[in-house]
PDB file of all heavy atoms in Angstrom:
ATOM      1  N   SER A  32      16.671 -12.056   5.207  1.00 87.00           N
ATOM      2  CA  SER A  32      17.291 -12.644   6.391  1.00 87.00           C
ATOM      3  C   SER A  32      17.676 -11.624   7.426  1.00 87.00           C
ATOM      4  O   SER A  32      17.940 -11.978   8.515  1.00 87.00           O
ATOM      5  CB  SER A  32      18.505 -13.418   5.951  1.00 87.00           C
ATOM      6  OG  SER A  32      19.534 -12.652   5.525  1.00 87.00           O
ATOM      7  N   LYS A  33      17.705 -10.326   6.982  1.00 89.00           N
ATOM      8  CA  LYS A  33      18.057  -9.193   7.919  1.00 89.00           C
ATOM      9  C   LYS A  33      16.911  -9.008   8.923  1.00 89.00           C
ATOM     10  O   LYS A  33      15.750  -9.277   8.561  1.00 89.00           O
ATOM     11  CB  LYS A  33      18.238  -7.911   7.132  1.00 89.00           C
ATOM     12  CG  LYS A  33      19.413  -7.928   6.136  1.00 89.00           C
ATOM     13  CD  LYS A  33      20.776  -8.104   6.844  1.00 89.00           C
ATOM     14  CE  LYS A  33      21.891  -8.024   5.824  1.00 89.00           C
ATOM     15  NZ  LYS A  33      23.245  -8.251   6.532  1.00 89.00           N
ATOM     16  N   PRO A  34      17.300  -8.673  10.167  1.00 91.00           N
ATOM     17  CA  PRO A  34      16.242  -8.501  11.223  1.00 91.00           C
ATOM     18  C   PRO A  34      15.241  -7.469  10.836  1.00 91.00           C
ATOM     19  O   PRO A  34      15.617  -6.404  10.240  1.00 91.00           O
ATOM     20  CB  PRO A  34      17.065  -8.108  12.420  1.00 91.00           C
ATOM     21  CG  PRO A  34      18.411  -8.595  12.144  1.00 91.00           C
ATOM     22  CD  PRO A  34      18.593  -8.472  10.703  1.00 91.00           C
ATOM     23  N   VAL A  35      13.954  -7.737  11.160  1.00 94.00           N
ATOM     24  CA  VAL A  35      12.921  -6.649  10.936  1.00 94.00           C
ATOM     25  C   VAL A  35      13.128  -5.551  11.870  1.00 94.00           C
ATOM     26  O   VAL A  35      12.781  -4.361  11.628  1.00 94.00           O
ATOM     27  CB  VAL A  35      11.559  -7.315  11.116  1.00 94.00           C
ATOM     28  CG1 VAL A  35      10.474  -6.290  11.140  1.00 94.00           C
ATOM     29  CG2 VAL A  35      11.262  -8.380  10.177  1.00 94.00           C
ATOM     30  N   ASP A  36      13.679  -5.760  13.014  1.00 95.00           N
ATOM     31  CA  ASP A  36      13.979  -4.818  14.030  1.00 95.00           C
ATOM     32  C   ASP A  36      12.742  -4.032  14.454  1.00 95.00           C
ATOM     33  O   ASP A  36      12.724  -2.752  14.493  1.00 95.00           O
ATOM     34  CB  ASP A  36      15.173  -3.900  13.621  1.00 95.00           C
ATOM     35  CG  ASP A  36      15.688  -3.016  14.721  1.00 95.00           C
ATOM     36  OD1 ASP A  36      15.532  -3.406  15.904  1.00 95.00           O
ATOM     37  OD2 ASP A  36      16.342  -1.923  14.391  1.00 95.00           O
ATOM     38  N   LEU A  37      11.744  -4.707  14.940  1.00 97.00           N
ATOM     39  CA  LEU A  37      10.537  -4.034  15.347  1.00 97.00           C
ATOM     40  C   LEU A  37      10.794  -3.388  16.679  1.00 97.00           C
ATOM     41  O   LEU A  37      11.382  -3.864  17.581  1.00 97.00           O
ATOM     42  CB  LEU A  37       9.391  -5.080  15.553  1.00 97.00           C
ATOM     43  CG  LEU A  37       8.099  -4.562  16.191  1.00 97.00           C
ATOM     44  CD1 LEU A  37       7.475  -3.544  15.246  1.00 97.00           C
ATOM     45  CD2 LEU A  37       7.242  -5.731  16.532  1.00 97.00           C
ATOM     46  N   ARG A  38      10.470  -2.101  16.686  1.00 97.00           N
ATOM     47  CA  ARG A  38      10.554  -1.213  18.032  1.00 97.00           C
ATOM     48  C   ARG A  38       9.244  -0.730  18.368  1.00 97.00           C
ATOM     49  O   ARG A  38       8.528  -0.095  17.602  1.00 97.00           O
ATOM     50  CB  ARG A  38      11.500  -0.142  17.743  1.00 97.00           C
ATOM     51  CG  ARG A  38      12.879  -0.519  17.400  1.00 97.00           C
ATOM     52  CD  ARG A  38      13.787   0.621  17.128  1.00 97.00           C
ATOM     53  NE  ARG A  38      15.172   0.338  16.532  1.00 97.00           N
ATOM     54  CZ  ARG A  38      16.058   1.126  16.184  1.00 97.00           C
ATOM     55  NH1 ARG A  38      15.923   2.450  16.325  1.00 97.00           N
ATOM     56  NH2 ARG A  38      17.248   0.619  15.771  1.00 97.00           N
ATOM     57  N   ASP A  39       8.877  -1.053  19.584  1.00 98.00           N
ATOM     58  CA  ASP A  39       7.512  -0.696  20.088  1.00 98.00           C
ATOM     59  C   ASP A  39       7.600   0.355  21.167  1.00 98.00           C
ATOM     60  O   ASP A  39       8.201   0.117  22.194  1.00 98.00           O
ATOM     61  CB  ASP A  39       6.851  -2.030  20.681  1.00 98.00           C
ATOM     62  CG  ASP A  39       5.394  -1.694  21.026  1.00 98.00           C
ATOM     63  OD1 ASP A  39       4.937  -0.607  21.161  1.00 98.00           O
ATOM     64  OD2 ASP A  39       4.681  -2.793  21.247  1.00 98.00           O
ATOM     65  N   GLN A  40       7.089   1.549  20.851  1.00 97.00           N
ATOM     66  CA  GLN A  40       7.206   2.662  21.814  1.00 97.00           C
ATOM     67  C   GLN A  40       6.072   2.577  22.838  1.00 97.00           C
ATOM     68  O   GLN A  40       5.910   3.504  23.675  1.00 97.00           O
ATOM     69  CB  GLN A  40       7.125   4.005  21.023  1.00 97.00           C
ATOM     70  CG  GLN A  40       8.255   4.207  20.112  1.00 97.00           C
ATOM     71  CD  GLN A  40       9.660   4.079  20.706  1.00 97.00           C
ATOM     72  OE1 GLN A  40       9.848   4.733  21.827  1.00 97.00           O
ATOM     73  NE2 GLN A  40      10.640   3.427  20.104  1.00 97.00           N
ATOM     74  N   GLY A  41       5.224   1.500  22.742  1.00 97.00           N
ATOM     75  CA  GLY A  41       4.107   1.415  23.735  1.00 97.00           C
ATOM     76  C   GLY A  41       2.730   1.814  23.170  1.00 97.00           C
ATOM     77  O   GLY A  41       2.614   2.164  22.037  1.00 97.00           O
ATOM     78  N   VAL A  42       1.688   1.457  23.987  1.00 98.00           N
ATOM     79  CA  VAL A  42       0.401   1.698  23.645  1.00 98.00           C
ATOM     80  C   VAL A  42       0.018   3.175  23.700  1.00 98.00           C
ATOM     81  O   VAL A  42       0.238   3.756  24.868  1.00 98.00           O
ATOM     82  CB  VAL A  42      -0.540   0.696  24.484  1.00 98.00           C
ATOM     83  CG1 VAL A  42      -2.007   1.032  24.181  1.00 98.00           C
ATOM     84  CG2 VAL A  42      -0.194  -0.721  24.239  1.00 98.00           C
ATOM     85  N   VAL A  43      -0.628   3.648  22.723  1.00 97.00           N
ATOM     86  CA  VAL A  43      -0.908   5.134  22.696  1.00 97.00           C
ATOM     87  C   VAL A  43      -2.316   5.412  23.222  1.00 97.00           C
ATOM     88  O   VAL A  43      -2.714   6.570  23.421  1.00 97.00           O
ATOM     89  CB  VAL A  43      -0.716   5.733  21.270  1.00 97.00           C
ATOM     90  CG1 VAL A  43       0.784   5.617  20.885  1.00 97.00           C
ATOM     91  CG2 VAL A  43      -1.579   5.035  20.217  1.00 97.00           C
ATOM     92  N   ASN A  44      -3.274   4.372  23.197  1.00 96.00           N
ATOM     93  CA  ASN A  44      -4.609   4.547  23.630  1.00 96.00           C
ATOM     94  C   ASN A  44      -4.746   3.762  25.015  1.00 96.00           C
ATOM     95  O   ASN A  44      -4.154   2.734  25.198  1.00 96.00           O
ATOM     96  CB  ASN A  44      -5.579   4.134  22.619  1.00 96.00           C
ATOM     97  CG  ASN A  44      -5.490   2.589  22.311  1.00 96.00           C
ATOM     98  OD1 ASN A  44      -4.346   2.024  22.337  1.00 96.00           O
ATOM     99  ND2 ASN A  44      -6.558   2.023  21.979  1.00 96.00           N
ATOM    100  N   LYS A  45      -5.616   4.306  25.799  1.00 89.00           N
ATOM    101  CA  LYS A  45      -5.841   3.757  27.104  1.00 89.00           C
ATOM    102  C   LYS A  45      -7.271   3.460  27.312  1.00 89.00           C
ATOM    103  O   LYS A  45      -8.157   4.081  26.605  1.00 89.00           O
ATOM    104  CB  LYS A  45      -5.363   4.738  28.223  1.00 89.00           C
ATOM    105  CG  LYS A  45      -3.921   5.175  28.069  1.00 89.00           C
ATOM    106  CD  LYS A  45      -2.982   4.078  28.352  1.00 89.00           C
ATOM    107  CE  LYS A  45      -1.454   4.580  28.217  1.00 89.00           C
ATOM    108  NZ  LYS A  45      -0.505   3.512  28.327  1.00 89.00           N
ATOM    109  N   HIS A  46      -7.550   2.420  28.204  1.00 92.00           N
ATOM    110  CA  HIS A  46      -8.967   2.052  28.517  1.00 92.00           C
ATOM    111  C   HIS A  46      -9.746   1.744  27.371  1.00 92.00           C
ATOM    112  O   HIS A  46     -10.924   2.143  27.175  1.00 92.00           O
ATOM    113  CB  HIS A  46      -9.575   3.359  29.314  1.00 92.00           C
ATOM    114  CG  HIS A  46      -8.721   3.842  30.356  1.00 92.00           C
ATOM    115  ND1 HIS A  46      -8.344   3.163  31.529  1.00 92.00           N
ATOM    116  CD2 HIS A  46      -8.079   5.011  30.532  1.00 92.00           C
ATOM    117  CE1 HIS A  46      -7.572   3.921  32.286  1.00 92.00           C
ATOM    118  NE2 HIS A  46      -7.465   5.032  31.755  1.00 92.00           N
ATOM    119  N   TYR A  47      -9.251   0.958  26.470  1.00 96.00           N
ATOM    120  CA  TYR A  47      -9.952   0.510  25.329  1.00 96.00           C
ATOM    121  C   TYR A  47      -9.539  -0.924  25.032  1.00 96.00           C
ATOM    122  O   TYR A  47      -8.292  -1.191  25.169  1.00 96.00           O
ATOM    123  CB  TYR A  47      -9.755   1.372  24.076  1.00 96.00           C
ATOM    124  CG  TYR A  47     -10.656   1.176  22.917  1.00 96.00           C
ATOM    125  CD1 TYR A  47     -12.059   1.438  22.952  1.00 96.00           C
ATOM    126  CD2 TYR A  47     -10.206   0.638  21.725  1.00 96.00           C
ATOM    127  CE1 TYR A  47     -12.914   1.135  21.918  1.00 96.00           C
ATOM    128  CE2 TYR A  47     -11.049   0.421  20.636  1.00 96.00           C
ATOM    129  CZ  TYR A  47     -12.412   0.620  20.797  1.00 96.00           C
ATOM    130  OH  TYR A  47     -13.231   0.514  19.702  1.00 96.00           O
ATOM    131  N   PRO A  48     -10.372  -1.845  24.679  1.00 96.00           N
ATOM    132  CA  PRO A  48      -9.923  -3.202  24.519  1.00 96.00           C
ATOM    133  C   PRO A  48      -9.076  -3.528  23.334  1.00 96.00           C
ATOM    134  O   PRO A  48      -8.365  -4.567  23.386  1.00 96.00           O
ATOM    135  CB  PRO A  48     -11.273  -3.982  24.299  1.00 96.00           C
ATOM    136  CG  PRO A  48     -12.315  -2.946  23.875  1.00 96.00           C
ATOM    137  CD  PRO A  48     -11.813  -1.643  24.584  1.00 96.00           C
ATOM    138  N   ILE A  49      -8.936  -2.631  22.402  1.00 97.00           N
ATOM    139  CA  ILE A  49      -8.041  -2.705  21.275  1.00 97.00           C
ATOM    140  C   ILE A  49      -6.799  -1.896  21.542  1.00 97.00           C
ATOM    141  O   ILE A  49      -6.884  -0.634  21.801  1.00 97.00           O
ATOM    142  CB  ILE A  49      -8.719  -2.263  19.914  1.00 97.00           C
ATOM    143  CG1 ILE A  49      -9.985  -2.927  19.661  1.00 97.00           C
ATOM    144  CG2 ILE A  49      -7.730  -2.382  18.800  1.00 97.00           C
ATOM    145  CD1 ILE A  49      -9.864  -4.383  19.373  1.00 97.00           C
ATOM    146  N   ALA A  50      -5.652  -2.555  21.461  1.00 97.00           N
ATOM    147  CA  ALA A  50      -4.416  -1.769  21.805  1.00 97.00           C
ATOM    148  C   ALA A  50      -3.700  -1.347  20.519  1.00 97.00           C
ATOM    149  O   ALA A  50      -3.526  -2.139  19.567  1.00 97.00           O
ATOM    150  CB  ALA A  50      -3.352  -2.707  22.506  1.00 97.00           C
ATOM    151  N   ILE A  51      -3.373  -0.008  20.503  1.00 98.00           N
ATOM    152  CA  ILE A  51      -2.750   0.595  19.354  1.00 98.00           C
ATOM    153  C   ILE A  51      -1.274   0.975  19.813  1.00 98.00           C
ATOM    154  O   ILE A  51      -1.015   1.820  20.580  1.00 98.00           O
ATOM    155  CB  ILE A  51      -3.510   1.977  18.911  1.00 98.00           C
ATOM    156  CG1 ILE A  51      -4.892   1.631  18.588  1.00 98.00           C
ATOM    157  CG2 ILE A  51      -2.712   2.589  17.775  1.00 98.00           C
ATOM    158  CD1 ILE A  51      -5.678   2.861  18.230  1.00 98.00           C
ATOM    159  N   HIS A  52      -0.385   0.211  19.176  1.00 98.00           N
ATOM    160  CA  HIS A  52       1.046   0.329  19.472  1.00 98.00           C
ATOM    161  C   HIS A  52       1.687   1.257  18.524  1.00 98.00           C
ATOM    162  O   HIS A  52       1.492   1.149  17.284  1.00 98.00           O
ATOM    163  CB  HIS A  52       1.767  -1.053  19.442  1.00 98.00           C
ATOM    164  CG  HIS A  52       1.221  -2.012  20.542  1.00 98.00           C
ATOM    165  ND1 HIS A  52       1.951  -2.288  21.650  1.00 98.00           N
ATOM    166  CD2 HIS A  52       0.093  -2.753  20.534  1.00 98.00           C
ATOM    167  CE1 HIS A  52       1.323  -3.153  22.298  1.00 98.00           C
ATOM    168  NE2 HIS A  52       0.144  -3.502  21.650  1.00 98.00           N
ATOM    169  N   ASP A  53       2.500   2.211  19.040  1.00 98.00           N
ATOM    170  CA  ASP A  53       3.306   3.065  18.189  1.00 98.00           C
ATOM    171  C   ASP A  53       4.653   2.319  17.860  1.00 98.00           C
ATOM    172  O   ASP A  53       5.514   2.135  18.754  1.00 98.00           O
ATOM    173  CB  ASP A  53       3.601   4.444  18.996  1.00 98.00           C
ATOM    174  CG  ASP A  53       4.471   5.405  18.156  1.00 98.00           C
ATOM    175  OD1 ASP A  53       4.784   5.014  17.028  1.00 98.00           O
ATOM    176  OD2 ASP A  53       4.795   6.411  18.667  1.00 98.00           O
ATOM    177  N   VAL A  54       4.712   1.907  16.715  1.00 98.00           N
ATOM    178  CA  VAL A  54       5.929   1.011  16.285  1.00 98.00           C
ATOM    179  C   VAL A  54       6.696   1.601  15.036  1.00 98.00           C
ATOM    180  O   VAL A  54       6.276   2.521  14.383  1.00 98.00           O
ATOM    181  CB  VAL A  54       5.425  -0.408  15.872  1.00 98.00           C
ATOM    182  CG1 VAL A  54       4.658  -1.020  17.090  1.00 98.00           C
ATOM    183  CG2 VAL A  54       4.522  -0.413  14.723  1.00 98.00           C
ATOM    184  N   SER A  55       7.840   1.017  14.803  1.00 97.00           N
ATOM    185  CA  SER A  55       8.537   1.191  13.650  1.00 97.00           C
ATOM    186  C   SER A  55       9.350  -0.017  13.398  1.00 97.00           C
ATOM    187  O   SER A  55       9.635  -0.845  14.206  1.00 97.00           O
ATOM    188  CB  SER A  55       9.537   2.460  13.772  1.00 97.00           C
ATOM    189  OG  SER A  55      10.634   2.196  14.680  1.00 97.00           O
ATOM    190  N   TYR A  56       9.793  -0.176  12.083  1.00 96.00           N
ATOM    191  CA  TYR A  56      10.551  -1.324  11.638  1.00 96.00           C
ATOM    192  C   TYR A  56      11.618  -0.852  10.605  1.00 96.00           C
ATOM    193  O   TYR A  56      11.400   0.227  10.017  1.00 96.00           O
ATOM    194  CB  TYR A  56       9.711  -2.486  11.091  1.00 96.00           C
ATOM    195  CG  TYR A  56       8.836  -2.209   9.897  1.00 96.00           C
ATOM    196  CD1 TYR A  56       9.319  -2.349   8.696  1.00 96.00           C
ATOM    197  CD2 TYR A  56       7.612  -1.606  10.081  1.00 96.00           C
ATOM    198  CE1 TYR A  56       8.566  -2.212   7.536  1.00 96.00           C
ATOM    199  CE2 TYR A  56       6.773  -1.338   8.936  1.00 96.00           C
ATOM    200  CZ  TYR A  56       7.280  -1.699   7.674  1.00 96.00           C
ATOM    201  OH  TYR A  56       6.503  -1.370   6.583  1.00 96.00           O
ATOM    202  N   ALA A  57      12.664  -1.665  10.440  1.00 94.00           N
ATOM    203  CA  ALA A  57      13.685  -1.322   9.461  1.00 94.00           C
ATOM    204  C   ALA A  57      13.219  -1.456   8.020  1.00 94.00           C
ATOM    205  O   ALA A  57      12.733  -2.405   7.607  1.00 94.00           O
ATOM    206  CB  ALA A  57      14.937  -2.194   9.832  1.00 94.00           C
ATOM    207  N   SER A  58      13.524  -0.297   7.329  1.00 91.00           N
ATOM    208  CA  SER A  58      13.308  -0.378   5.848  1.00 91.00           C
ATOM    209  C   SER A  58      14.488  -0.949   5.211  1.00 91.00           C
ATOM    210  O   SER A  58      15.701  -0.620   5.555  1.00 91.00           O
ATOM    211  CB  SER A  58      13.268   1.124   5.359  1.00 91.00           C
ATOM    212  OG  SER A  58      13.054   1.146   3.941  1.00 91.00           O
TER     213      SER A  58
END
Side-chain angles (χ1 to χ4, degrees):
S32 70
K33 298 293 185 183
V35 176
D36 192 20
L37 174 65
R38 298 179 187 174
D39 189 343
Q40 301 298 317
V42 176
V43 298
N44 62 328
K45 305 294 183 182
H46 312 298
Y47 192 67
I49 303 297
I51 302 175
H52 297 256
D53 181 3
V54 302
S55 66
Y56 60 93
S58 175

